[in-house]
Coordinates of all heavy atoms in Angstrom, one line a residue:
P19 N 61.4 -62.0 69.6 CA 60.9 -60.7 69.9 C 62.0 -59.8 70.4 O 62.1 -58.6 70.1 CB 59.9 -61.0 71.1 CG 59.5 -62.3 70.8 CD 60.6 -63.1 70.3
L23 N 63.0 -56.2 68.6 CA 62.9 -55.0 69.3 C 64.2 -54.2 69.1 O 64.3 -53.0 68.9 CB 62.7 -55.2 70.8 CG 62.6 -54.0 71.7 CD1 61.5 -53.1 71.2 CD2 62.4 -54.4 73.1
A143 N 89.0 -1.7 54.2 CA 90.0 -1.3 53.2 C 89.7 0.2 52.9 O 90.7 1.0 52.7 CB 90.0 -2.1 52.0
L203 N 91.3 6.9 40.2 CA 90.8 8.2 40.5 C 92.0 9.1 40.9 O 92.1 10.3 40.5 CB 89.8 8.2 41.6 CG 89.2 9.5 42.1 CD1 88.5 10.2 40.9 CD2 88.2 9.3 43.2
H318 N 92.4 35.2 9.8 CA 92.6 36.0 8.5 C 91.4 36.0 7.6 O 91.5 36.5 6.5 CB 93.9 35.5 7.8 CG 95.1 35.6 8.7 ND1 95.7 36.7 9.1 CD2 95.8 34.5 9.2 CE1 96.8 36.4 9.8 NE2 96.8 35.1 9.9
Y756 N 6.8 33.4 12.6 CA 6.3 32.9 13.9 C 7.3 32.1 14.6 O 7.4 32.1 15.9 CB 5.1 32.0 13.5 CG 4.0 32.7 12.8 CD1 3.9 32.5 11.4 CD2 3.1 33.5 13.4 CE1 2.9 33.2 10.7 CE2 2.1 34.2 12.7 CZ 2.0 34.0 11.4 OH 1.0 34.7 10.7

Side-chain angles (χ1 to χ4, degrees):
L23 181 60
L203 179 61
H318 305 289
Y756 301 101

